[in-house]
Amino acid sequence: MDTNWDCLLLDCRLASFVDNGRSYGRIDDAAIAWQDGVIVYAGPLAGLPGSPQSLSRHVESLQGAWVTPGLIDCHTHLVFAGDRAGEFEQRLNGVSYEAIARAGGGINSTVRRTRDASADELLAQSLPRARALLADGVTTLEIKSGYGLDLVSERKMLQVARRLGDELGIGVCTTFLGAHALPPEFAGNQSGYIDEVCIHMMPALAAEGLVDAVDAFCEKIAFTPSETRRVMETARGLGLPVKLHADQLSDLHGAALVAEFGGLSADHVEYTSAAGVKAMAEAGTVAVLLPGAFHVLRETKLPPVDALREHGVAMAVSTDLNPGTSPLLSLRMAMSFACTLFRLTPEEALRGTTMHAARALGLGDRGRLAAGLRADLAVWNIAEPAELCYWLGAGGAERVYAGGRRLI
């Protein structure tokens, strides 16, 4: 046994999400230790293979605090310029999301501002949003492009996303979402824009190492299933995993389509049919629930949570942080919304922002507290894990570690 651990935390309780027959994978009177950014021990204090001081260079008591895996926000549009508070007001005055989009608002209004912003300006506007999530216990973020809609601007967004990870010391997964909306220069030529996405943009950005996965918006106001299929076929040819904005406003069988490609996730899924749920179950595709958009848009069609449970589809929860339909800067608030709006249990919501969110990003090295996994963890001054979903607007994590490095 190596007795030179970097850090050993004692007198804590773990929500490990390792199957031990207890809710949350709970371990009371616990200890957790890591070396070189990797967990080497996570278990009962009494199970340590020696005295704490003989095992680690740094030993500290957490005085009964809870430790969870670092939270994972697996669906965000965090890099953008400006905001759309005016559209929020329009919707509250009865204008529909579709009407706003067709009138030149919606995604394309953010595209104009994002194209005009320099990379440094985008970074400056995006950093506070990322810091808010970090304070909430988030150690890994997915960040999508999709507000550039041309090669130069999409590249800029993805580069800024990478810089955010470097700046804050957190994990950032970048997703190419070129098929997010039709840019104004391609008005009336949707197939031509899909050519641009598949022939020029995606291969170039993938060759530059800027793309971890590919997404698309399959919806009546965005791209058709056949256009989406072409995007996925191109991604598969480049060796890139896929995910999909699926069945948010209508059932275009998007969940079944992304499952056909072995997709990492189908996101939103409010209108997903029973056949779509079964397809996801067979493919191992994660359902990413986005209650922030459901709340802001005042939707009434609930995702098929009971069917997802019945078929054993893993359910992740995310903020969908974006300027138009989910200006949500708290993953814990998304967890609370998932409980109150979608009827998830607190344990399901916390699993959805840890182990299942990791799976939605194809990350097998985090999302649980177990030896051999990354030392990404959050420390909370709470009595029970359910409090992470219960309190609205309470303070964030007491401490956050990413790869063993303390960030808060």
Side-chain angles (χ1 to χ4, degrees):
M1 170 70 67
D2 192 328
T3 57
N4 197 30
W5 297 342
D6 294 332
C7 186
L8 172 59
L9 302 178
L10 309 173
D11 307 317
C12 57
R13 291 172 285 179
L14 304 184
S16 71
F17 295 107
V18 174
D19 186 11
N20 61 6
R22 305 187 69 191
S23 294
Y24 302 95
R26 177 177 183 141
I27 305 173
D28 293 304
D29 300 316
I32 184 166
W34 58 87
Q35 183 176 358
D36 297 328
V38 177
I39 297 171
V40 291
Y41 184 83
L45 183 60
L48 285 171
S51 68
Q53 286 70 26
S54 71
L55 294 170
S56 178
R57 292 190 295 272
H58 178 84
V59 180
E60 188 175 355
S61 170
L62 291 182
Q63 301 180 329
W66 274 92
V67 181
T68 70
L71 303 187
I72 299 170
D73 201 350
C74 65
H75 180 130
T76 85
H77 305 255
L78 185 145
V79 173
F80 58 86
D83 65 51
R84 301 208 317 253
E87 292 179 15
F88 172 70
E89 187 170 17
Q90 280 185 281
R91 287 197 303 273
L92 291 175
N93 281 300
V95 184
S96 73
Y97 176 55
E98 290 192 33
I100 291 170
R102 294 193 187 281
I107 292 169
N108 272 318
S109 66
T110 299
V111 170
R112 290 190 293 273
R113 295 175 183 177
T114 302
R115 286 180 172 181
D116 289 343
S118 70
D120 287 343
E121 289 169 339
L122 268 184
L123 181 68
Q125 292 189 46
S126 301
L127 264 171
R129 296 188 281 266
R131 286 196 176 109
L133 292 172
L134 170 59
D136 226 30
V138 172
T139 55
T140 300
L141 279 173
E142 187 255 17
I143 301 177
K144 303 178 190 295
S145 67
Y147 293 132
L149 307 185
D150 61 38
L151 179 57
V152 171
S153 302
E154 290 286 293
R155 177 186 290 119
K156 177 176 64 177
M157 290 188 68
L158 294 169
Q159 289 172 337
V160 168
R162 294 276 201 234
R163 289 173 64 186
L164 283 168
D166 294 339
E167 179 84 14
L168 298 179
I170 60 176
V172 170
C173 298
T174 52
T175 298
F176 173 62
L177 182 57
H180 194 197
L182 188 66
E185 61 269 24
F186 280 89
N189 186 18
Q190 190 147 306
S191 63
Y193 180 63
I194 292 297
D195 285 344
E196 179 70 15
V197 166
C198 294
I199 296 172
H200 300 293
M201 295 166 65
M202 194 192 310
L205 296 171
E208 294 170 23
L210 290 172
V211 181
D212 296 321
V214 173
D215 195 353
F217 188 16
C218 183
E219 193 53 72
K220 291 177 181 177
I221 61 170
F223 296 96
T224 67
S226 61
E227 290 164 343
T228 301
R229 176 179 292 278
R230 186 175 172 204
V231 171
M232 292 184 178
E233 288 171 345
T234 302
R236 181 167 60 185
L238 293 168
L240 296 169
V242 296
K243 50 184 59 193
L244 187 64
H245 284 63
D247 308 332
Q248 178 187 8
L249 305 173
S250 61
D251 184 11
L252 295 185
H253 312 294
L257 175 59
V258 72
E260 180 184 331
F261 285 83
L264 291 173
S265 67
D267 302 33
H268 287 288
V269 300
E270 281 91 333
Y271 284 82
T272 295
S273 66
V277 171
K278 291 178 182 177
M280 292 171 66
E282 292 170 1
T285 297
V286 177
V288 177
L289 305 181
L290 303 172
F294 183 92
H295 168 75
V296 171
L297 293 174
R298 298 189 295 173
E299 295 288 351
T300 57
K301 176 66 173 175
L302 293 168
V305 169
D306 287 341
L308 294 168
R309 287 184 181 127
E310 178 185 352
H311 290 279
V313 176
M315 292 183 288
V317 175
S318 188
T319 61
D320 191 17
L321 170 56
N322 75 74
T325 63
S326 190
L328 179 56
L329 294 171
S330 169
L331 186 54
R332 289 183 303 114
M333 184 68 79
M335 292 161 58
S336 180
F337 284 165
C339 293
T340 56
L341 300 177
F342 294 167
R343 308 296 190 266
L344 266 63
T345 67
E347 182 171 358
E348 286 176 324
L350 189 51
R351 285 183 184 271
T353 55
T354 53
M355 59 183 297
H356 294 328
R359 183 173 160 189
L361 296 177
L363 299 174
D365 64 345
R366 66 200 73 183
R368 295 174 295 129
L369 300 178
L373 300 185
R374 273 178 57 93
D376 288 359
L377 51 127
V379 179
W380 309 91
N381 183 22
I382 54 176
E384 295 294 335
E387 291 186 41
L388 298 179
C389 301
Y390 167 71
W391 292 108
L392 301 177
E398 291 292 310
R399 302 185 188 185
V400 178
Y401 297 86
R405 177 187 171 202
R406 185 172 176 179
L407 303 181
I408 294 177

